[in-house]
């Protein structure tokens, strides 16, 4: 079910800037088992431009990038607020006992990003949080992608509860 979501990792040694934080993220619509071409399958997100409500990417020359995931704003918000978060995974699946947003916000909206960031903030350990998006899936934070995958292994329910 991971290919129906996205993942990202904070850029090692990245600096914070007015538009930062910087992170690597899977592009929209790509098979997560085939993340091979930088700038096409994996994108370098440099930050967010609120004036244009858009993510800022850095793309290698001679590469035609795919579209960045609509959830990039959510990842940016979490990285900005929680420096200990090194990776984020968003999956269209579920886990029992996960608290979720109260509203089913549209994907890619600032409202959803802020609601998810609020749930991460309220978690006992924001750098190891698992939070839900009502009728959609969940977002997991951790120090690395490997740690996140180990933590959720065998606990994922394929069907998201709908209400």
């Amino acid at each position: 079910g991971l290919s129906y979501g996205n993942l990202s990792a904070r850029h090692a040694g990245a600096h914070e800037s007015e538009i930062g934080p910087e992170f690597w993220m899977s592009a929209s619509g790509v098979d997560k088992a085939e993340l091979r071409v930088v700038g096409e399958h994996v994108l370098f997100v440099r930050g967010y431009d609120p004036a244009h409500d858009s993510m800022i990417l850095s793309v290698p020359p001679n590469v035609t990038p795919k579209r960045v995931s609509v959830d990039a704003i959510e990842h940016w918000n979490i990285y900005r607020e929680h420096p200990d978060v090194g990776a984020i995974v968003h999956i269209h699946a579920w886990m029992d006992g996960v608290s979720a947003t109260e509203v089913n916000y549209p994907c890619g909206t600032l409202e959803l990003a802020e609601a998810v960031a609020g749930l991460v903030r309220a978690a006992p350990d924001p750098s190891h949080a698992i939070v839900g998006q009502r009728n959609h899936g969940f977002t997991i934070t951790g120090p690395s992608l490997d740690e996140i995958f180990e933590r959720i292994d065998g606990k994922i329910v394929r069907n998201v509860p709908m209400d």
Side-chain angles (χ1 to χ4, degrees), residues 20-21 45 47-48 67 69 72 89-90 98 100 137 141-142 161-162:
V45 180
Y48 172 67
R67 190 171 46 89
S69 170
V89 172
H90 168 66
V98 173
T141 65
M162 305 294 267

Side-chain angles (χ1 to χ4, degrees), residues 33 44 61 67 80 86 148 156:
F44 186 58
R67 190 171 46 89
R80 183 174 54 90
I148 291 172
I156 296 172

Side-chain angles (χ1 to χ4, degrees), residues 21-150:
E22 298 175 338
F23 56 96
W24 296 95
M25 186 170 195
S26 56
S28 181
V30 298
D31 182 346
K32 305 316 176 279
E34 298 292 328
L35 298 177
R36 303 204 190 288
V37 180
V38 172
E40 184 178 342
H41 304 136
V42 180
L43 302 172
F44 186 58
V45 180
R46 293 190 48 235
Y48 172 67
D49 177 0
H52 295 99
D53 191 26
S54 62
M55 303 310 296
I56 300 168
L57 304 178
S58 180
V59 179
N62 304 319
V63 173
T64 302
K66 294 207 181 279
R67 190 171 46 89
V68 70
S69 170
V70 296
D71 294 318
I73 184 65
E74 176 186 317
H75 292 231
W76 177 83
N77 228 359
I78 293 169
Y79 286 129
R80 183 174 54 90
E81 192 170 322
H82 303 285
D84 292 341
V85 172
I88 300 169
V89 172
H90 168 66
I91 297 177
H92 295 179
W94 200 250
M95 290 176 65
D96 290 333
V98 173
S99 56
T101 58
E102 292 185 22
V103 175
N104 183 12
Y105 295 102
C107 291
T109 62
L110 191 55
E111 293 82 8
L112 176 60
E114 289 172 349
V116 171
L119 288 172
V120 169
R121 185 180 319 113
D125 180 0
S127 64
H128 291 84
I130 301 175
V131 299
Q133 298 166 3
R134 185 181 186 124
N135 298 337
H136 182 76
F138 61 97
T139 296
I140 312 125
T141 65
S144 69
L145 292 171
D146 286 339
E147 187 276 340
I148 291 172
F149 293 137
E150 287 173 18

